Amino acid sequence: FYLTPPQVNSILKANEYSFKVPEFDGKNISSVLGFDSNQLPANAPIEDRRSAATCLQTRGMLLGVFDGHAGCACAQAVSERLFYYIAVSLLPHETLLEIENAVESGRALLPILQWHKHPNDYFSKEASKLYFNSLRTYWQELIDLNSGETTDVKEALINAFKRLDNDISLEAQVGDPNSFLNYLVLRVAFSGATACVAHVDGVDLHVANTGDSRAMLGVQEEDGSWSAVNLSYDHNAQNEHEVERVKMEHPKSEEKSLVKQDRLLGLLMPFRAFGDVKFKWSIELQKRVVESGPDQLNDNEYTKFIPPNYHTPPYLTAEPEVIHHKLRPQDKFLVLATDGLWETMHRQDVARIVGEYLTGVHHQQPIAVGGYKVTLGQMHGLLTERRARISSVFEDQNAATHLIRHAVGNNEFGTVDHERLSKMLSLPEELARMYRDDITIIVVQFNSHVVGACQSEQ
Amino acid sequence: SPGMFPRLLSDVRWRAARPPWRRWTSPRRSASGAAEPPPVSLPAQARVVVCGGGITGTSVAYHLAKLGWKDIVLLEQGRLAAGTTRFCAGIVSAARPVSIELKMADYSNKLYQQLEQETGVKTGYMKTGSISLAQTQDRLISLKRIASSLNVMGIPSEIITPKQVAQLHPLINIHDLVGAMYVPGDALVSSADVSLALATAASHNGVQIHERTTVSHVLVQKGRVIGVETDRGQISCQYFVNCAGQWAYELGLSGEEHVSIPVHACEHFYLLTYPLKEPLASSIPTIVDPDGRIYIRNWQGGILSGGFEKNPKPLFTEGRNQLEIQNLQEDWDHFEPLLSALLRRMPDLEALQIMQLVNCPETFTPDMHCIMGESPAVRGYFVLAGMNSAGISYGGGAGKYLAEWMVNGYPSENVWPLDLKRFGSLQSSRTFLRHRVMEVMPLICDLKVPRWDFQTGRQLRTSPLYDRLDAQGARWMEKHGFERVKYFVPPGKDLLDLDQSKTFYKPDWFDIVGSEVKCCKEAVCVIDMSSFTKFEISSTGNQALENLQYLFSNDLDVPVGHVVHTGMLNEQGGYENDCSIARLSKRSFFMISPTDQQVHCWSWLKNHLPSDGSLTLEDVTWKYTALNLIGPRAVDVLSELSYAPITPEHFPSLFCKEMSVGYANGIRVMSITHTGEPGFMLYIPIEYALHVYNEVMNMGQKYGIRNAGYYALRSLRIEKFFAFWGQDLDAFTTPMECGREFQVKLEKGMEFIGQEALLEQKQHGVYKRFTMFILEDHDTDMDLWPWWGEPIFRNGRYVGKTTSSAYSYTLERHVCLGFVQHFDEKTGEELVVTTDFINQGEYEIDIAGQRFQAKAKLYPFSSLFTQRRRKEEVELSGYQRE
């Protein structure tokens, strides 16, 4: 039994989303043409999340992928909240004051973000008040701090990440009189999520990464070929610097127990994450919160379990590494994806597949007869074959979908094998996780003309 | 950069031949590498400067010299015939649907045939004939229509069977063909050589040719050309001819005074192969397979095959661009559909070896016809460009017409369909052109059925009522950029989609238009006619009247409030414009002309009225919305909306009054409908348009009012024998020839343009006569419908062509309008056409080769109509009483 191609397509396309930046938005012309995004679940429910939004009070666009573990609560909360923290961190003093005054006097608030969401990307209504209050406290502190300096994007990103993680932790410690919310904030804090976020403003591209999702820039070389440039470092056991960092932060006596079987304390794959208070709080705090918490939490073996060799917390941080890159005309696109993609595909292949997809036929290596002896029949055969290949590309209207098709369906020759694709997609829920991870992809396409123009201005 | 292409065609040959013009002018450098004498300096002045050394430029120079003009200078930025002309496929074919283009191609063919003998330059002329293939019945019908008009023009053509095709061309797969048209006189040439031959002949006749000389801009003073600025200095001149092909647009905009020439280039591909094992005979006919979008000709024993793909690649939208020029390379993936069509048509070519895929940009225009004539903005600035990839076919004839135009003031044929002035500045938006040429290029191969409309570049000029009408089911067509309603699809009724509705037979809107016509006849309809061109002419003293009396043939010295139908004639008495003029006051006039007259009429008036400021001429087209209230009940509707009496006693026909309609004041109401039906035209200041429309529709409800469109109007005016300028009337038609003596006041006591010619005609008679034909044995449901351009036969002999046609719902017959001529049976000489000649003939109309009997009439059925209407009025009132 195999899925038919239309069935395969309907599975692959269920979560796809595209956004094109309007050409004439009346303001500055954006260096971003638009983005395609998609998700393919392996877990049920899926634990990955994605977000995309345009900053309305400052310039720039935010895009991010979030890979949750031990449930999806943390990834969900981060996907809803992180961009607000970033946007607020970027706001100038006057705007913060204006916003605070509006809240104070009950006036309508300036919109901070314009979200670009797939209908399946939901926001939790119940928690919005709680989240808002935490955010407000943050901006009030920013107002009090008023450094008077212009906001540095890198710093803003780091502050926003750390602050949100801190708020998650605090909310769980304080609890909430509403039992639903109380349970929610605890679930958020006890689950975890990695985050890989890009901020694009003109030619300035910042990528802030926490965990093992990855950002990759697709670069078109002069000869038309594609190459990949990493814009993030994975925070896991494969990253020597990261292992080094963790070891530096703890006494030498723990050196052996810190990283076991390529996992933090032998348990956690990513070395940095949001939530996961089990790796951050002291044992006493964990016990106190779990005991005073609702029964569901108490019944959960996982939450009660204290990691082995847990001596000098915190072992985990949400502080991101930020990479700044000045876009060049040859930088054609950015891929943000959770580890589900990178486990199955090499970044070089990702660059090539997306690059060829985005440029379509026009940049397919043109045929030239040159000095060769070619007959009309031979040429016709060649062209028909090329067209068939192209039409398979255009089955997908979304670069992220196209990439997922390859990630799941690629055979050893690097071409999509329908049989394999169909098998992988028809795996029962309980088996799916064994063969593949959740995959979430955002492909951002840049406007080379605008980038070139900005570059020459500067 | 032409240098990147290998030397093709006969490029090498002409250089070796050392054409004689090289003795007088020298380029700065020559590819032959030999030591060249220093370049001959440019003359300080000339009568004419022609810019562009392609087929059009050399043809214009050749013909100007032939007509005896001296001091002609031709400037070419590169080398002669090195642009599009060099890469042209070189097919000279008269198989064209539009008669003026057919005439140009026919003339070109004859010109090229004798050119080698005239000049001694080899042109590669070879009469091979051409075969146009039909894969569908509809295509065969369109070929039959062309064959009919070719035959009456004296150009042999024949509809042949697929078997005959196979006999004429052994390589063709005929299995999917239903027929074909064979034109044995069509030819092949080497286009670059033709151009060089024309240059050589021109040069013999005194034309100075300068290569490698770039015109930077044209110098203009007081609206006239006074010279050109080049990279090698200035030349002062009286006339400038822009033959710059794909660069014509940019050149037009380069001067201070912009000349808008709406052309845009697209890439065009054709394939060259090595010779076949058994090389093709040089006389093998050229194949045109429009359904496969390709043409195939013999080329040095191999083939040359190109086509017009569905997805053209426009280029140079933002002007000349070095990057785009460099990127003009072979694009095989783009060519794939055409290659497939080629191999399907000639499967045996599979083993043939490719030599090259040539990418050569061609220039296209917004309506698929080339552009010629004088700029409305700058006198003495002439243009010939935008050949829509038929430069070789048209080049000779087009050059001749333009030269005649410059020398005699007007060409020897009606070239209005090609006149630059048919476009306005609105067609020169680059975005518009880019989108439109992407539609036009594929259209070259598409089936052209009656009444098709362009899909791109729409909704540019609209009436303020557009949305209201659209919401009520309006279907739109475009004229001069203006959206006009064709008809209204009633709610709940669906028409075929665009592709399926293409037909040569009875169209799907037949009943819809029928009910609109019925409503015009029995009750009242409202048609939005805002697209009409509207001018106001006024003066402080008597100058307006005096000048208009000189420009118009009818007597305009009428009491204030009268409307006069009149022609605006040229010296030959031909209609430059046909319009209605209302005398608003002693010193001001309101002039209404056809939509596409906006540019032409404006420039004619500008050129003929004094420029001393005594007269004010204003284009008020955009200021007024025009509603046509047609029908016997129009008077009732209007009476209720206005307290002014408008019964025929108070408001006779051909009157104009300013009155209030509803709340709106200052509405110009005229008792004309342009159809011969009773009713009124309302000229409404646009801010009142919606109000007046709503009032009219509300009040009209009880009289059965409904919306109607131009198709209904057309049917009404044609059955009433009303001629329309641009379709029936042109600059070669006089009022005497179309039964409009009553609109000419030869004795008005003032001289007017065209008076002498009309007096002459009055004395000696006319040589053609506008006639109405009622098709007798034509089955509306089953037979092909007439369109226009159908040959008319009298007693079995060709006497003329139709100019428009429509189904008359009243007569329940098709009506064709057209001109009848009288050719001497022996000599073919044109004789005077008398009323007796018209009345005493047996007529037939040829629709795609099938002849239908027709009854000729010189006057409309006015009495019949009134009788019918009265009878129906009785019926209608009886119905209302029930």
Side-chain angles (χ1 to χ4, degrees):
Chain A
F1 144 81
Y2 288 121
L3 299 170
T4 61
Q7 285 173 315
V8 165
N9 283 345
S10 80
I11 293 173
L12 288 180
K13 295 179 180 195
N15 291 316
E16 70 179 15
Y17 177 79
S18 286
F19 175 74
K20 267 189 86 167
V21 174
E23 261 178 81
F24 312 104
D25 67 344
K27 290 191 293 181
N28 43 300
I29 298 165
S30 174
S31 57
V32 174
L33 280 172
F35 68 85
D36 290 338
S37 81
N38 199 356
Q39 301 188 301
L40 182 70
N43 293 300
I46 186 171
E47 294 182 345
D48 280 4
R49 291 293 183 272
R50 59 184 158 169
S51 292
T54 305
C55 297
L56 295 175
Q57 300 305 326
T58 55
R59 304 191 317 166
M61 195 167 185
L62 286 163
L63 305 117
V65 294
F66 311 98
D67 183 354
H69 48 263
C72 59
C74 188
Q76 174 64 32
V78 174
S79 76
E80 289 178 39
R81 305 175 70 182
L82 181 58
F83 287 8
Y84 279 114
Y85 279 73
I86 297 172
V88 163
S89 309
L90 288 167
L91 287 180
H93 187 67
E94 309 80 62
T95 320
L96 286 172
L97 273 179
E98 205 176 317
I99 290 174
E100 174 58 20
N101 288 337
V103 176
E104 193 62 46
S105 55
R107 277 185 284 120
L109 217 56
L110 288 172
I112 299 174
L113 293 174
Q114 185 196 353
W115 292 94
H116 311 299
K117 288 197 300 186
H118 187 272
N120 293 354
D121 302 340
Y122 64 94
F123 275 12
S124 77
K125 281 214 173 65
E126 298 81 3
S128 64
K129 184 81 187 148
L130 174 77
Y131 290 168
F132 177 78
N133 286 335
S134 296
L135 181 68
R136 187 179 173 193
T137 314
Y138 178 41
W139 82 53
Q140 284 170 337
E141 282 174 33
L142 287 175
I143 291 171
D144 293 341
L145 273 172
N146 181 17
S147 56
E149 289 164 25
T150 47
T151 330
D152 174 64
V153 179
K154 182 173 175 175
E155 227 170 283
L157 286 165
I158 293 174
N159 290 342
F161 271 61
K162 285 163 74 177
R163 176 67 184 211
L164 173 60
D165 193 49
N166 204 39
D167 282 355
I168 288 172
S169 167
L170 273 179
E171 284 156 8
Q173 292 173 42
V174 174
D176 196 285
N178 174 323
S179 64
F180 175 82
L181 279 182
N182 195 30
Y183 183 45
L184 177 72
V185 294
L186 286 166
R187 273 190 297 143
V188 169
F190 277 91
S191 60
T194 71
C196 186
V197 173
H199 177 267
V200 197
D201 175 10
V203 291
D204 289 305
L205 168 63
H206 286 84
V207 176
N209 183 47
T210 285
D212 54 3
S213 292
R214 196 183 284 172
M216 185 213 84
L217 193 64
V219 181
Q220 188 166 33
E221 305 294 340
E222 267 175 35
D223 65 357
S225 68
W226 295 93
S227 61
V229 172
N230 274 351
L231 286 183
S232 67
Y233 304 112
D234 298 347
H235 299 138
N236 58 17
Q238 277 71 49
N239 181 342
E240 283 173 32
H241 297 285
E242 199 57 13
V243 175
E244 208 53 38
R245 176 186 65 82
V246 174
K247 287 183 177 169
M248 287 285 288
E249 290 171 358
H250 298 276
K252 195 131 180 78
S253 56
E254 291 183 40
E255 194 168 310
K256 290 227 169 94
S257 57
L258 273 173
V259 181
K260 278 186 170 170
Q261 292 160 337
D262 283 350
R263 287 167 188 253
L264 188 66
L265 297 178
L267 293 170
L268 197 61
M269 292 259 272
F271 279 27
R272 301 190 195 194
F274 282 91
D276 282 329
V277 290
K278 275 155 31 73
F279 297 86
K280 290 174 181 165
W281 289 352
S282 66
I283 298 179
E284 298 73 43
L285 181 58
Q286 292 193 36
K287 283 193 170 149
R288 198 183 74 223
V289 170
V290 172
E291 276 161 21
S292 64
D295 296 341
Q296 300 107 308
L297 197 66
N298 253 318
D299 298 342
N300 188 328
E301 286 303 316
Y302 172 77
T303 48
K304 277 199 290 196
F305 170 75
I306 303 288
N309 305 310
Y310 197 80
H311 306 297
T312 50
Y315 287 89
L316 195 62
T317 174
E319 177 170 339
E321 266 188 294
V322 179
I323 294 182
H324 175 220
H325 176 81
K326 283 247 184 241
L327 288 174
R328 306 156 298 169
Q330 64 265 40
D331 301 334
K332 300 296 180 188
F333 59 90
L334 174 74
V335 179
L336 299 173
T338 55
D339 59 341
L341 174 73
W342 308 110
E343 279 163 13
T344 56
M345 279 181 92
H346 191 266
R347 58 195 172 98
Q348 195 55 46
D349 293 331
V350 171
R352 183 182 51 81
I353 287 167
V354 176
E356 284 175 3
Y357 171 83
L358 289 178
T359 47
V361 211
H362 303 294
H363 289 264
Q364 198 180 27
Q365 198 63 34
I367 303 181
V369 176
Y372 300 105
K373 288 187 174 176
V374 186
T375 67
L376 292 176
Q378 287 165 338
M379 178 59 86
H380 185 233
L382 183 61
L383 294 175
T384 322
E385 190 196 320
R386 276 161 74 93
R387 203 176 53 166
R389 210 155 68 208
I390 291 157
S391 65
S392 82
V393 168
F394 288 112
E395 223 176 318
D396 295 319
Q397 266 92 52
N398 183 305
T401 311
H402 188 64
L403 205 45
I404 292 179
R405 189 186 297 276
H406 276 274
V408 179
N410 260 10
N411 56 20
E412 54 270 44
F413 308 111
T415 55
V416 176
D417 176 349
H418 177 74
E419 202 172 304
R420 187 184 152 86
L421 187 59
S422 162
K423 256 190 210 161
M424 291 291 278
L425 293 179
S426 54
L427 290 173
E429 271 180 15
E430 59 279 12
L431 274 181
R433 187 62 190 87
M434 313 272 287
Y435 289 91
R436 54 188 171 88
D437 194 359
D438 291 338
I439 300 177
T440 299
I441 300 172
I442 300 180
V443 178
V444 188
Q445 210 183 336
F446 298 117
N447 186 337
S448 303
H449 296 289
V450 174
V451 168
C454 291
Q455 206 180 34
S456 56
E457 261 173 46
Q458 290 180 358
Chain B
S1 85
M4 57 182 278
F5 298 103
R7 281 178 197 123
L8 284 174
L9 306 172
S10 49
D11 184 27
V12 179
R13 230 184 304 150
W14 67 258
R15 206 175 297 120
R18 280 215 147 249
W21 48 265
R22 289 213 181 255
R23 271 178 281 151
W24 301 305
T25 71
S26 351
R28 267 166 284 169
R29 61 189 163 80
S30 152
S32 62
E36 288 286 332
V40 172
S41 57
L42 294 182
Q45 58 188 34
R47 188 169 193 185
V48 187
V49 171
V50 180
C51 172
I55 181 71
T56 54
T58 51
S59 174
V60 169
Y62 170 90
H63 285 100
L64 280 173
K66 274 264 150 118
L67 289 171
W69 273 25
K70 302 291 174 213
D71 293 331
I72 301 163
V73 175
L74 188 148
L75 305 178
E76 160 59 43
Q77 60 172 350
R79 294 198 327 252
L80 278 181
T84 296
T85 300
R86 183 158 75 127
F87 298 103
C88 182
I91 299 168
V92 186
S93 170
R96 308 283 167 184
V98 178
S99 77
I100 182 69
E101 292 181 340
L102 190 154
K103 283 179 190 163
M104 290 199 300
D106 184 41
Y107 172 83
S108 299
N109 194 335
K110 288 174 177 140
L111 173 71
Y112 304 158
Q113 190 172 11
Q114 52 81 49
L115 206 54
E116 193 166 324
Q117 200 184 2
E118 181 185 338
T119 63
V121 178
K122 280 205 180 341
T123 57
Y125 184 93
M126 172 61 75
K127 194 165 266 184
T128 59
S130 78
I131 306 173
S132 302
L133 309 177
Q135 292 183 26
T136 64
Q137 288 298 338
D138 271 350
R139 177 68 67 183
L140 192 58
I141 291 167
S142 77
L143 293 178
K144 282 176 178 170
R145 290 184 61 96
I146 295 174
S148 285
S149 53
L150 283 174
N151 288 335
V152 297
M153 301 282 301
I155 304 166
S157 74
E158 204 184 334
I159 295 296
I160 56 176
T161 62
K163 266 198 185 141
Q164 289 171 291
V165 173
Q167 284 159 10
L168 285 165
H169 201 304
L171 288 174
I172 292 190
N173 163 25
I174 57 165
H175 293 114
D176 54 352
L177 299 182
V178 297
M181 173 176 70
Y182 179 44
V183 184
D186 282 352
L188 292 179
V189 294
S190 154
S191 39
D193 291 340
V194 166
S195 199
L196 291 168
L198 290 170
T200 306
S203 171
H204 274 305
N205 289 326
V207 175
Q208 290 189 51
I209 298 170
H210 295 268
E211 294 184 300
R212 300 198 187 279
T213 308
T214 306
V215 174
S216 64
H217 61 269
V218 176
L219 304 167
V220 177
Q221 203 173 62
K222 289 182 187 154
R224 274 211 72 102
V225 169
I226 56 157
V228 297
E229 185 71 56
T230 78
D231 58 348
R232 294 177 57 207
Q234 246 182 42
I235 306 177
S236 59
C237 62
Q238 294 158 30
Y239 296 92
F240 175 73
V241 190
N242 182 339
C243 294
Q246 57 192 332
W247 314 120
Y249 178 90
E250 271 182 285
L251 181 58
L253 294 189
S254 63
E256 257 177 58
E257 189 75 45
H258 285 186
V259 174
S260 134
I261 302 160
V263 295
H264 194 295
C266 282
E267 291 178 44
H268 175 62
F269 294 91
Y270 64 79
L271 172 79
L272 294 173
T273 72
Y274 288 99
L276 277 81
K277 279 224 178 75
E278 226 176 292
L280 282 176
S282 58
S283 61
I284 198 101
T286 298
I287 300 296
V288 180
D289 181 3
D291 298 305
R293 308 189 156 274
I294 51 167
Y295 56 82
I296 309 155
R297 56 159 278 196
N298 165 48
W299 186 69
Q300 300 185 355
I303 60 145
L304 181 163
S305 172
F308 300 97
E309 62 273 23
K310 277 185 182 161
N311 53 335
K313 296 166 81 176
L315 82 166
F316 303 132
T317 304
E318 288 157 25
R320 185 188 306 229
N321 177 330
Q322 206 53 43
L323 192 74
E324 282 188 279
I325 291 176
Q326 278 163 14
N327 283 339
L328 277 178
Q329 284 163 1
E330 51 190 329
D331 183 345
W332 280 100
D333 291 301
H334 191 73
F335 193 70
E336 187 271 335
L338 301 178
L339 178 60
S340 296
L342 169 65
L343 289 177
R344 177 174 136 150
R345 187 54 54 221
M346 297 187 182
D348 293 348
L349 296 187
E350 283 232 339
L352 192 56
Q353 198 185 325
I354 296 167
M355 178 182 274
Q356 202 195 0
L357 184 65
V358 181
N359 180 354
C360 126
E362 291 277 358
T363 314
F364 296 88
T365 62
D367 62 358
M368 234 181 351
H369 303 306
C370 74
I371 291 173
M372 66 161 73
E374 191 175 12
S375 155
V378 180
R379 299 210 73 181
Y381 193 121
F382 283 81
V383 179
L384 180 57
M387 304 311 277
N388 297 292
S389 79
I392 274 295
S393 287
Y394 299 152
K400 171 179 159 236
Y401 290 143
L402 192 79
E404 289 170 349
W405 200 331
M406 295 172 68
V407 173
N408 305 331
Y410 205 78
S412 55
E413 291 281 348
N414 168 36
V415 295
W416 171 247
L418 316 176
D419 193 331
L420 172 64
K421 292 197 271 294
R422 73 190 185 274
F423 297 118
S425 58
L426 61 99
Q427 279 96 352
S428 60
S429 140
R430 278 318 259 178
T431 316
F432 166 81
L433 285 171
R434 182 182 172 90
H435 291 181
R436 178 56 69 81
V437 297
M438 286 173 75
E439 182 182 1
V440 161
M441 182 169 152
L443 209 55
I444 289 174
C445 287
D446 285 345
L447 197 61
K448 282 169 274 297
V449 300
R451 291 164 286 274
W452 49 268
D453 301 302
F454 287 107
Q455 302 301 309
T456 54
R458 297 291 298 272
Q459 290 183 323
L460 184 57
R461 300 171 75 204
T462 58
S463 145
L465 302 175
Y466 181 85
D467 282 347
R468 279 299 307 274
L469 302 178
D470 197 55
Q472 295 176 76
R475 291 289 184 274
W476 302 90
M477 62 181 184
E478 169 248 15
K479 183 95 179 174
H480 206 63
F482 211 110
E483 295 292 330
R484 311 200 297 186
V485 181
K486 294 193 281 193
Y487 46 80
F488 287 84
V489 180
K493 184 152 181 161
D494 261 337
L495 288 185
L496 298 171
D497 64 43
L498 196 71
D499 269 348
Q500 289 176 314
S501 67
K502 285 187 168 185
T503 178
F504 289 98
Y505 294 89
K506 183 171 135 179
D508 53 355
W509 43 259
F510 180 79
D511 293 328
I512 294 174
V513 173
S515 62
E516 287 177 9
V517 166
K518 190 164 188 277
C519 187
C520 288
K521 293 268 183 196
E522 295 173 355
V524 52
C525 276
V526 53
I527 305 182
D528 184 342
M529 296 179 54
S530 306
S531 69
F532 273 2
T533 299
K534 308 174 250 318
F535 292 160
E536 272 177 10
I537 302 146
S538 57
S539 61
T540 47
N542 229 6
Q543 299 94 328
L545 177 67
E546 283 166 10
N547 281 290
L548 294 185
Q549 285 285 51
Y550 175 66
L551 284 176
F552 295 91
S553 57
N554 208 336
D555 190 359
L556 291 172
D557 194 4
V558 289
V560 170
H562 279 245
V563 181
V564 177
H565 289 310
T566 178
M568 183 174 87
L569 309 181
N570 53 31
E571 289 292 349
Q572 290 74 44
Y575 278 99
E576 288 295 331
N577 186 4
D578 181 35
C579 45
S580 309
I581 299 179
R583 190 165 194 185
L584 298 175
S585 71
K586 277 243 168 270
R587 299 185 178 92
S588 69
F589 296 84
F590 185 61
M591 173 179 173
I592 300 146
S593 327
T595 308
D596 48 1
Q597 274 280 356
Q598 198 168 17
V599 177
H600 176 250
C601 181
W602 179 264
S603 93
W604 182 272
L605 291 176
K606 274 277 167 198
N607 290 342
H608 285 86
L609 292 175
S611 53
D612 56 6
S614 61
L615 272 178
T616 320
L617 172 64
E618 191 190 358
D619 184 345
V620 295
T621 302
W622 61 275
K623 284 188 177 175
Y624 292 93
T625 294
L627 291 182
N628 193 350
L629 275 180
I630 303 184
R633 293 294 179 174
V635 60
D636 301 306
V637 176
L638 205 56
S639 299
E640 294 211 30
L641 286 170
S642 169
Y643 288 96
I646 52 168
T647 48
E649 305 85 74
H650 295 95
F651 205 149
S653 157
L654 286 174
F655 261 65
C656 170
K657 275 185 196 170
E658 261 192 25
M659 54 170 67
S660 58
V661 176
Y663 298 148
N665 216 343
I667 312 295
R668 278 178 197 160
V669 177
M670 297 184 199
S671 44
I672 53 174
T673 61
H674 303 280
T675 56
E677 299 294 326
F680 301 91
M681 285 293 300
L682 274 54
Y683 285 90
I684 309 157
I686 52 164
E687 66 265 39
Y688 298 144
L690 200 58
H691 172 77
V692 172
Y693 176 77
N694 287 339
E695 290 291 301
V696 164
M697 291 309 276
N698 288 337
M699 196 54 77
Q701 259 180 5
K702 64 177 167 188
Y703 300 102
I705 198 166
R706 53 178 293 173
N707 291 302
Y710 269 78
Y711 283 7
L713 187 87
R714 228 170 114 266
S715 170
L716 289 169
R717 69 104 178 159
I718 286 175
E719 73 182 13
K720 278 282 169 93
F721 202 10
F722 268 47
F724 258 34
W725 192 90
Q727 284 173 43
D728 309 305
L729 306 181
D730 58 41
F732 287 79
T733 311
T734 71
M736 304 305 186
E737 293 160 351
C738 57
R740 289 191 173 180
E741 298 89 342
F742 65 95
Q743 288 183 7
V744 177
K745 299 288 184 299
L746 287 169
E747 321 296 336
K748 68 178 171 182
M750 273 196 73
E751 193 194 337
F752 61 89
I753 303 178
Q755 191 174 23
E756 266 180 50
L758 295 184
L759 271 170
E760 161 84 18
Q761 278 197 333
K762 191 172 181 177
Q763 278 169 8
H764 297 106
V766 294
Y767 290 87
K768 64 178 180 183
R769 188 66 209 259
F770 194 50
T771 313
M772 173 170 171
F773 295 95
I774 291 98
L775 297 192
E776 306 251 278
D777 56 348
H778 183 270
D779 184 332
T780 308
D781 293 321
M782 303 301 294
D783 286 328
L784 288 168
W785 273 34
W787 184 4
W788 55 270
E790 289 90 14
I792 303 165
F793 291 89
R794 178 186 177 276
N795 299 341
R797 292 171 58 85
Y798 170 72
V799 289
K801 279 188 174 184
T802 64
T803 50
S804 57
S805 75
Y807 180 79
S808 161
Y809 293 88
T810 323
L811 297 168
E812 293 173 349
R813 284 265 177 279
H814 253 98
V815 177
C816 299
L817 308 182
F819 286 93
V820 172
Q821 285 165 283
H822 186 181
F823 302 106
D824 186 275
E825 291 199 15
K826 291 196 187 81
T827 63
E829 189 194 349
E830 283 186 55
L831 303 175
V832 167
V833 178
T834 60
T835 311
D836 282 349
F837 178 79
I838 299 281
N839 290 338
Q840 287 164 6
E842 296 286 325
Y843 290 90
E844 285 173 312
I845 307 284
D846 174 329
I847 307 174
Q850 196 182 349
R851 291 191 189 178
F852 296 92
Q853 289 171 19
K855 183 173 271 174
K857 292 190 62 73
L858 284 171
Y859 300 97
F861 296 88
S862 52
S863 54
L864 172 78
F865 278 81
T866 29
Q867 270 169 14
R868 268 196 183 227
R869 195 161 59 237
R870 283 209 192 101
K871 188 170 147 259
E872 279 160 8
E873 247 173 23
V874 174
E875 279 166 8
L876 191 72
S877 49
Y879 171 75
Q880 278 177 339
R881 238 178 276 128
E882 273 176 24

